[in-house]
Amino acid sequence: MLTPQQAWSSILAHTTCLPATEISADEALGYVLAVPVLADRDMPPANRSAKDGFAVRAADLLRMPVTLPIVGEVAAGSPAAPVVTDGTCARIFTGANLPPGADTVVQVEDTRSAGAGEVTFVRAEPAGANILRQGENARAGGELVAAGSVLGSLQIAIAAATGRTSLRAFRRPRVAIIATGRELVPPEAEVGAHQERDANGPMLTAAFRAAGISVASACRVSDDLDAVTAALRQGLASADAVVLSGGVSVGAYDFVPAAITAVGASPHVHGVAMKPGKPFLFATAPDSRLVFGLPGNPLSAATTLHEFVLPALRRMAGWPEADCRPLVRARLLEAIANPPGYQRYVLATLAWNTSGPEVTPVSSQSSADLAAGARADGAVIVPADARGLDQGALVDFRPWRVWP
Ligand code: AMP
Ligand code: MG
């Protein structure tokens, strides 16, 4: 049986980025940039004032105080360029271009109003003071956002500042979801004592939506080889990846492995030394499509979803390998006992305290205990060879929530 790390390595080896496409800048949040954003002009494009005050020549400020005539005014957005000659100054506002002839700006707090059309300087400034120099942030043609960056609000902002209305980014995967199980009924249906409401389908849909991955289709099928095979075939026809839940183990009603073979996909991982999540299955279909079989117990499904599926889909969407699987180093507030053997995932809450991130285990009865899962923010990872984790130790925590 593969370790979780070996399983992840195998998944990575079979996962490639989708091709790049042109995305409207309005829609680009969360996409991964494929072609860098370059400065279209110097930033700032001209010498600009960083203050409200007066543009003047430093040579005229050698003796304090000094009163000079005001020859003009320039505010941000004004194309005015009053020429500042020896012994004169111009009123200037933050963001305005420095008028020709001036070499410094004195903030208004360091001046006093004099007669009409004049101002008295009470503090000198050297040449260059309070000026944002042309090109000091970036030169025209310089790289502002590197390829491989995940586009957040600041990257969208700089793209807008360079006049970009569209960006070249990696396409994000479309996913088909198949919940298998004869016992499953939709949430709105009447449910018998022998039945189970489908929780994994909605969980997967929500998790993909939070990750910006579009759900091409979501369906439920009974434990029937033909039905599972047909659903899988249909999913592969419409999506870049298919995620199944349930039916992945070795029971008489577990048809996912046979369906994967029936559609001509090749399994690479089946069974991982982890708890929960041991029966997890990963296969590839022709055209580099990915197939994930998650165990049906909701906590097993959640664990393998965040451990393998979401990271692989992020990789398809162009995320750098190292960023696909977010991990938080956090202080453990309560000890965890562990029977060694399997790598274990222990539900926990996460708090961002002033002393750093802290995690507290959430007790759960089994991998069927979705009630406990709904109280958790993710899982503490307990290494297979650890007898346990001590209170106060720094531990690895896999976050299951996306913090806005
Ligand atoms: P399986 O992996 O198919 O053997 O299912 C393991 C357990 O998970 C069974 O108790 C199933 O009823 C339950 N289960 C399977 N699929 C779902 C689902 N979509 N929602 C909630 N529970 C499920
Ligand atoms: Mg089942």
Side-chain angles (χ1 to χ4, degrees):
M1 206 181 314
L2 300 181
T3 65
Q5 191 51 46
Q6 289 167 332
W8 173 236
S9 299
S10 167
I11 293 167
L12 265 184
H14 291 95
T15 303
T16 49
C17 295
L18 292 168
T21 93
E22 202 70 13
I23 309 278
S24 156
D26 294 341
E27 302 290 320
L29 183 68
Y31 278 81
V32 178
L33 196 63
V35 175
V37 174
L38 307 182
D40 68 319
R41 56 179 187 165
D42 288 347
M43 301 183 86
N47 293 331
R48 284 188 167 166
S49 180
K51 292 279 171 64
D52 294 334
F54 293 87
V56 64
R57 297 162 83 106
D60 287 334
L61 303 175
L62 295 179
R63 287 188 9 250
M64 283 291 116
V66 60
T67 299
L68 301 176
I70 304 169
V71 297
E73 172 179 311
V74 51
S78 161
V83 178
V84 173
T85 51
D86 277 341
T88 70
C89 68
R91 194 182 296 276
I92 194 163
F93 296 91
T94 305
N97 286 356
L98 191 70
D103 61 11
T104 190
V105 169
V106 177
Q107 63 176 0
V108 70
E109 292 87 337
D110 294 330
T111 65
R112 302 287 175 262
S113 50
E118 288 187 335
V119 64
T120 300
F121 293 82
V122 297
R123 218 191 97 165
E125 288 286 10
N130 299 317
I131 292 167
L132 308 176
R133 293 261 146 218
Q134 177 174 348
E136 75 178 9
N137 303 338
R139 284 289 174 194
E143 183 176 281
L144 300 173
V145 189
S149 303
V150 180
L151 294 166
S153 55
L154 271 294
Q155 292 71 38
I156 303 262
I158 194 118
T162 65
R164 299 289 296 272
T165 55
S166 70
L167 294 163
R168 200 134 185 97
F170 294 104
R171 188 166 76 70
R172 296 199 282 197
R174 289 162 52 78
V175 179
I177 297 169
I178 304 169
T180 76
R182 185 181 159 200
E183 72 279 28
L184 299 181
V185 297
E188 65 275 14
E190 276 202 32
V191 62
H194 58 295
Q195 292 177 314
E196 199 59 55
R197 294 195 179 99
D198 173 21
N200 293 347
M203 172 172 71
L204 293 169
T205 299
F208 295 144
R209 189 168 295 162
I213 292 156
S214 63
V215 175
S217 62
C219 66
R220 271 179 302 278
V221 294
S222 190
D223 293 315
D224 172 276
L225 178 57
D226 290 342
V228 177
T229 305
L232 178 53
R233 191 166 279 134
Q234 209 170 345
L236 287 169
S238 66
D240 304 294
V242 180
V243 183
L244 301 108
S245 106
V248 76
S249 210
V250 292
Y253 294 97
D254 291 333
F255 293 112
V256 169
I260 283 175
T261 310
V263 300
S266 319
H268 305 290
V269 177
H270 192 190
V272 183
M274 63 191 285
K275 275 188 177 173
K278 189 156 73 85
F280 172 79
L281 192 158
F282 166 69
T284 49
D287 293 336
S288 315
R289 280 157 212 276
L290 308 185
V291 182
F292 299 94
L294 314 189
N297 269 315
L299 296 184
S300 311
T303 304
T304 48
L305 166 68
H306 292 280
E307 213 50 23
F308 302 124
V309 182
L310 279 172
L313 296 177
R314 288 192 192 102
R315 185 79 190 113
M316 279 183 122
W319 285 53
E321 212 174 288
D323 299 340
C324 290
R325 289 213 295 176
L327 194 68
V328 179
R329 280 295 271 179
R331 196 160 298 284
L332 181 64
L333 296 188
E334 282 171 29
I336 295 173
N338 188 49
Y342 292 97
Q343 181 158 303
R344 274 217 308 150
Y345 296 78
V346 175
L347 295 179
T349 57
L350 171 66
W352 297 95
N353 291 328
T354 46
S355 51
E358 294 176 340
V359 289
T360 307
V362 169
S363 70
S364 72
Q365 302 303 318
S366 72
S367 55
D369 191 353
L370 180 57
R375 290 192 286 270
D377 297 315
V380 171
I381 301 177
V382 188
D385 55 4
R387 289 247 154 233
L389 298 175
D390 295 334
Q391 182 183 353
L394 274 181
V395 300
D396 287 337
F397 175 82
R398 185 83 67 204
W400 289 359
R401 270 178 194 276
V402 178
W403 276 269

